[in-house]
Amino acid sequence: MAAGLKSVIGLSFVLALGFLLVIMSCALYSNWWPLFVVATYVFAPLPNAIFGRFAGSDDMMSDYQGGYADIGYFLTGLMIVTGFCLPVVLAHAGVITAPAMIMSIAGGLLIYGTIISYSRFFSEDEDF
């Protein structure tokens, strides 16, 4: 139980640091456009959660989950790529500065890394 609590506290610290980087990339340079990246952090896990419910296969021994799961994976990947590329496009267009772009991408890496680590630490293995 103590290892679970320590990992939750560590992951929450890293998540808070990631959001702090994104907010600081906005506040330090007086430009709030990088805050749109937070929307991709919020919406990225939703396609897997929604389409994962419809992905039940009829055969218990089959590894293929169906087309719905593939659509969810595709949309999640699209949101993750958008989260990393939006600051680059904004910096290329001259809307934000390069340091704001770097801070926003670093915050995104920390946030996505926290989400992946949390799902790996607390995933339940289904054994029959």
Side-chain angles (χ1 to χ4, degrees):
M1 187 64 149
L5 183 62
K6 288 180 183 179
S7 60
V8 167
I9 291 171
L11 288 173
S12 63
F13 176 73
V14 173
L15 183 69
L17 187 64
F19 276 114
L20 178 70
L21 276 173
V22 172
I23 292 171
M24 291 301 286
S25 72
C26 298
L28 287 177
Y29 301 102
S30 300
N31 192 347
W32 295 95
W33 283 100
L35 202 58
F36 282 115
V37 176
V38 174
T40 63
Y41 305 151
V42 173
F43 293 130
L46 289 180
N48 277 342
I50 292 170
F51 289 106
R53 300 288 180 195
F54 302 117
S57 65
D58 296 330
D59 187 15
M60 288 175 56
M61 302 305 275
S62 176
D63 288 336
Y64 181 66
Q65 295 179 351
Y68 292 117
D70 292 338
I71 292 171
Y73 295 150
F74 175 76
L75 291 175
T76 298
L78 182 72
M79 294 300 253
I80 290 172
V81 168
T82 301
F84 287 121
C85 292
L86 185 61
V88 174
V89 170
L90 290 174
H92 180 72
V95 176
I96 64 173
T97 61
M101 174 194 69
I102 292 169
M103 288 175 69
S104 181
I105 290 174
L109 284 171
L110 288 174
I111 291 169
Y112 285 132
T114 302
I115 293 170
I116 291 170
S117 299
Y118 183 81
S119 65
R120 296 285 184 207
F121 283 148
F122 298 105
S123 66
E124 295 179 12
D125 294 332
E126 294 181 13
D127 292 333
F128 289 103

